[in-house]
Amino acid sequence: LGTCFLVFLVYLALGRGCGQSPTHSQSREVKPTPLGQHFDVSRTGTIRGRVQWEGDLPVVEELISAKNPIRIPRGSGARKRRPNPHRPVIHAQNQGVGSCVIYLRQVDLNRSRPWDHSPATVETRQGRMKIYQGESISNVGFVQRGAKLTLVSRDEWMSSIEVRGASFFRLNFPDPNRPLTLALNHEGLVKLQSGTGRGWMRTYLFVSEHPYFVRTDENGEFELSQVPDGTYEVVCWHPNWQIKLRDRHHGTSQVARLFFHDPLIQQREITVKAGEVTKVNFTLTSPPPPDSSKTLSAGKADSPSSP
C-alpha cells in the first residue's frame, strides 16, 4: 500500500498541468442556452444515412500494460493485453461502421428542437471507462453546454480522470462510489483519460448547445430527426486508432498516456426540406500508416515488448 500511495502522489505532482481541479470558469454555473424558441415541427425534415467501410479491414494495435500500472515497480510485473479504445466497429457482413458520431454545423438555436439527450455519467470500473447515457453505454456521449455531468469511480483503488480539449482539468477519486457532479461550460470536444497510468482508458464528450448529434448503429446507419429546413454541414467523426506518442512515467517506466493521430473526419453540405428525408452517406477507409520514425515515446525509449 505504501508503494501504491507513493507512486500515486508522484502522478499528482507531475508538472504538466495534470493535477488541476476544475478552474473557476469551469466550476461557475453557466445556464444552457435556451433552445427552440421558434421551433416549428411542421418546418422540419429528417437526415438519414450510413457510414460504410471500404477496403481491407484495419490492423489495430493492441495495447500492453502492467496489470496495475501504479503498483508495478520499474522493470518488473506481469503484463496484460488491452483493447485499443479506438478500434473501429465494422459489421462483418455489410461493412457498416458502428459508433461513428454524426452531427450538424450551422444550426440556428432559435429554430432547434429542445435538448433531448439523457444526462451523461462517466464511470470507471475494473480498468475501463464508459459513458452511460439513457440506455446507451459507449465511449462517446453528448452533453449540453452548461448542463451537469456526473463522474464516478467504481474501483477500489485510487483513481483519477483527466479532462482535456474544450475543458481542461483533473478530478481525483480517492474513494469508490462517491460521484462528482460539475458543468462543462465550454462548447467543443472533450477527451477524458486516466490520470493514474491506465493509458488505454479513453472516452469522449461532445459539448454542444444544440442536440443534433447521433452515433451510428451496428449497421453503420443513422438518423437525425426534426431538423429545421435549411442548409447544413453534416460531419462524420471517428477517432484514429494509430498511436502518435507514448508518454512514459519516469518512476515506473510504464506508459502513462497515449496520444493518437488526428481523428477521421468527413463533412458534406446538404439542404433539408420540410417534410422530406435527405440522404447522406459516408465512406471510411484506413488512413495511411504513420511514419514509424515519427512515432515518439516521451520519458523512455520503447522496447519491442512494450506498448
Side-chain angles (χ1 to χ4, degrees), residues 30-302:
V30 174
K31 293 184 179 180
T33 302
L35 292 175
Q37 296 183 7
H38 300 286
F39 176 66
D40 182 353
V41 69
S42 68
R43 294 188 56 189
T44 66
T46 299
I47 301 173
R48 192 176 294 157
R50 189 166 182 270
V51 181
Q52 176 88 16
W53 185 267
E54 185 176 82
D56 296 334
L57 296 181
V59 177
V60 182
E61 178 181 1
E62 283 191 315
L63 311 177
I64 304 173
S65 73
K67 287 189 175 181
N68 190 335
I70 68 172
R71 292 186 179 181
I72 299 301
R74 185 184 181 98
S76 65
R79 294 180 177 271
K80 184 176 181 178
R81 291 185 177 275
R82 312 280 185 176
N84 189 309
H86 296 172
R87 184 185 184 92
V89 181
I90 302 173
H91 196 283
Q93 279 73 44
N94 61 31
Q95 305 294 291
V97 186
S99 296
C100 294
V101 175
I102 308 296
Y103 64 96
L104 298 184
R105 290 175 178 158
Q106 303 168 349
V107 174
D108 183 347
L109 300 183
N110 284 321
R111 301 185 62 215
S112 167
R113 74 169 187 254
W115 185 270
D116 54 359
H117 294 286
S118 300
T121 297
V122 180
E123 178 180 293
T124 64
R125 184 193 297 267
Q126 297 180 344
R128 294 179 180 271
M129 185 188 299
K130 292 293 183 180
I131 298 174
Y132 291 75
Q133 190 161 23
E135 298 180 355
S136 166
I137 304 175
S138 176
N139 289 337
V140 181
F142 313 120
V143 177
Q144 187 176 18
R145 187 185 72 87
K148 297 296 185 181
L149 170 70
T150 300
L151 304 97
V152 62
S153 171
R154 306 295 185 191
D155 295 319
E156 295 182 359
W157 55 75
M158 290 174 291
S159 180
S160 72
I161 296 177
E162 294 178 357
V163 178
R164 299 292 182 264
S167 296
F168 191 96
F169 57 88
R170 173 177 179 155
L171 293 173
N172 297 318
F173 299 88
D175 301 308
N177 303 314
R178 297 187 65 178
L180 298 175
T181 303
L182 53 82
L184 296 177
N185 297 331
H186 304 289
E187 192 174 14
L189 180 62
V190 172
K191 175 180 68 178
L192 301 99
Q193 60 192 24
S194 167
T196 51
R198 296 173 174 86
W200 65 90
M201 295 170 61
R202 182 70 54 86
T203 58
Y204 297 89
L205 290 169
F206 284 83
V207 182
S208 174
E209 293 188 306
H210 69 76
Y212 296 103
F213 286 76
V214 69
R215 289 183 302 273
T216 56
D217 64 16
E218 63 180 6
N219 294 309
E221 297 175 349
F222 65 89
E223 180 177 295
L224 289 166
S225 61
Q226 295 186 342
V227 180
D229 54 353
T231 299
Y232 300 91
E233 190 172 61
V234 186
V235 182
C236 174
W237 178 94
H238 192 289
N240 197 325
W241 52 91
Q242 298 172 333
I243 298 171
K244 182 178 182 179
L245 172 67
R246 297 177 174 90
D247 188 10
R248 294 182 180 273
H249 186 269
H250 291 278
T252 65
S253 80
Q254 301 297 326
V255 175
R257 299 178 189 85
L258 290 172
F259 296 85
F260 293 86
H261 284 273
D262 293 340
L264 284 63
I265 298 177
Q266 295 183 17
Q267 51 265 334
R268 304 275 192 276
E269 185 175 273
I270 65 167
T271 298
V272 175
K273 296 182 179 180
E276 297 186 7
V277 175
T278 303
K279 293 187 177 181
V280 56
N281 297 317
F282 297 93
T283 300
L284 296 185
T285 187
S286 289
D291 186 345
S292 60
S293 65
K294 296 181 180 179
T295 302
L296 307 176
S297 178
K300 186 180 184 298
D302 282 330

